[in-house]
């Protein structure tokens, strides 16, 4: 498996391919996302091990969606078994996936701790306001303008972005590339860095798609005199965008890596 360079414009093609494969199997992909979210929520309830397990399953879930995308590209119907398939690839790969999940959980826990250390009081004030029902714009405005809250949020978003780089391709490199988990994290980082132009366009394309949907839906419902319906449209739109995003992970992977055997399904 070799690292390859993707042109900047390919970032937009990754998003387009994700929507094309999503609309081939919309029910299947949405069902997979719902299964993943329900499983994560149920795990999170099993204190204290559950929250850690929920974090550990996130890299595995991203790989599951990559396998689902590949399955759909091959003309087959992706089933929830895609999340279990990586665990059946032998003890070496299983160990690699579990260590990746543990490393991811530790990194996210450290990020949450640091963010709370910076903006903890502001976060607690927001949570208290939500618990007591004081959610009017007048009561929330001074809380949202708290500098410590903004610093904590910026720190959290920045650290999450940094964490995503080594874990972006790592599960797939362990599964399809048969790499050690540390080596997989290294090459994932290298792939993201060397293809940073494509990933910049990829990120901007996602932002543009979501912004365009928000503007068009707001204009349409306002035109028909029902602006309150925008909130009703937001839920299915969020499901579609979230699922399509996970479908796009496979296209970013095959855009950054090539194999001599050609066993990975091509993009569309």
């Amino acid at each position: 498996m070799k690292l390859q360079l993707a042109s900047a414009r390919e970032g937009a093609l990754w998003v387009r391919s994700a929507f094309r494969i999503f609309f081939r199997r919309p029910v299947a992909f949405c069902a997979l996302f719902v299964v993943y979210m329900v499983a994560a929520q149920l795990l999170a309830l099993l204190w204290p091990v559950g929250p850690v397990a929920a974090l550990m399953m996130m890299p595995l879930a991203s790989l599951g969606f990559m396998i689902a995308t590949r399955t759909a590209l091959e003309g087959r119907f992706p089933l929830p078994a895609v999340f279990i398939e990586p665990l059946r690839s032998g003890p070496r790969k299983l160990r690699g996936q579990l260590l990746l999940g543990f490393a991811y959980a530790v990194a996210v826990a450290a990020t949450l701790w640091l963010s709370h250390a910076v903006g903890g009081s502001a976060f607690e004030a927001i949570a208290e306001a939500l618990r007591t029902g004081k959610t009017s714009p007048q009561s929330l405005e001074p809380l949202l303008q708290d500098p410590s809250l903004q610093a904590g949020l910026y720190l959290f978003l920045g650290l999450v972005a940094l964490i995503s780089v080594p874990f972006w391709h790592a599960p797939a490199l362990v599964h399809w590339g048969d790499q050690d988990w540390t080596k997989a994290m290294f090459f994932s980082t290298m792939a993201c860095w060397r293809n940073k132009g494509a990933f910049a366009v990829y990120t901007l394309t996602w932002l543009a798609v979501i912004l365009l949907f928000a503007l068009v839906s707001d204009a349409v419902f306002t035109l028909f005199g029902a602006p309150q319906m925008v909130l009703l449209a937001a839920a299915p739109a969020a499901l579609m965008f979230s699922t399509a995003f996970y479908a796009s992970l496979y296209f970013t992977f095959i855009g950054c890596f090539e194999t001599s055997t050609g066993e990975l399904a091509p993009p569309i």
Side-chain angles (χ1 to χ4, degrees):
M1 186 161 288
K2 301 177 182 179
L3 176 64
Q4 62 183 2
L5 298 180
S7 63
R9 65 182 295 270
E10 286 188 52
L13 297 179
W14 295 340
V15 179
R16 186 192 70 174
S17 297
F19 277 103
R20 291 181 68 180
I21 195 63
F22 169 79
F23 284 116
R24 280 190 191 179
R25 305 282 189 182
V27 175
F29 278 106
C30 287
L32 289 177
F33 186 78
V34 171
V35 168
Y36 161 59
M37 292 301 297
V38 170
Q41 292 292 330
L42 291 176
L43 275 176
L45 295 176
L46 302 176
W47 183 263
V49 179
V52 177
L55 289 175
M56 287 182 63
M57 73 178 290
M58 292 186 71
L60 194 62
S62 69
L63 175 58
F65 277 100
M66 290 188 189
I67 296 173
T69 303
R70 177 186 173 186
T71 301
L73 285 169
E74 294 172 344
R76 295 181 289 124
F77 194 89
L79 298 171
V82 296
F83 296 122
I84 305 175
E85 182 176 329
L87 304 179
R88 299 173 175 172
S89 301
R92 183 175 180 274
K93 291 183 180 180
L94 173 60
R95 178 177 177 275
Q97 297 294 353
L98 293 177
L99 288 173
L100 274 178
F102 181 75
Y104 183 82
V106 170
V108 172
T111 296
L112 291 171
W113 181 82
L114 288 172
S115 302
H116 191 271
V118 172
S121 59
F123 289 140
E124 291 171 2
I126 292 287
E128 181 63 25
L130 294 176
R131 279 196 299 267
T132 57
K134 297 178 181 179
T135 57
S136 65
Q138 295 79 10
S139 60
L140 288 179
E141 184 176 0
L143 300 177
L144 296 175
Q145 292 180 349
D146 189 331
S148 63
L149 175 67
Q150 297 178 14
L153 286 175
Y154 289 143
L155 178 62
F156 176 76
L157 294 174
L159 290 176
V160 166
L162 288 176
I163 290 172
S164 68
V165 172
F167 290 97
W168 195 274
H169 302 298
L173 287 171
V174 171
H175 183 67
W176 284 307
D178 197 24
Q179 293 184 359
D180 176 76
W181 70 281
T182 53
K183 186 178 180 181
M185 291 179 66
F186 172 78
F187 281 107
S188 176
T189 303
M190 288 294 297
C192 291
W193 173 250
R194 296 190 65 181
N195 292 301
K196 53 186 177 294
F199 276 100
V201 173
Y202 171 78
T203 302
L204 292 174
T205 302
W206 272 115
L207 292 175
V209 168
I210 295 172
L211 179 60
L212 180 62
F213 173 83
L215 292 175
V216 170
S217 60
D218 182 65
V220 169
F221 286 117
T222 301
L223 182 64
F224 284 98
Q228 67 277 6
M229 295 295 291
V230 173
L231 295 177
L232 293 178
L239 176 61
M240 177 183 68
F241 289 138
S242 299
T243 308
F245 168 76
Y246 275 104
S248 73
L249 297 179
Y250 180 79
F251 297 107
T252 68
F253 177 68
I254 61 174
C256 294
F257 295 93
E258 63 177 351
T259 61
S260 57
T261 57
E263 72 272 13
L264 298 183
I268 55 177

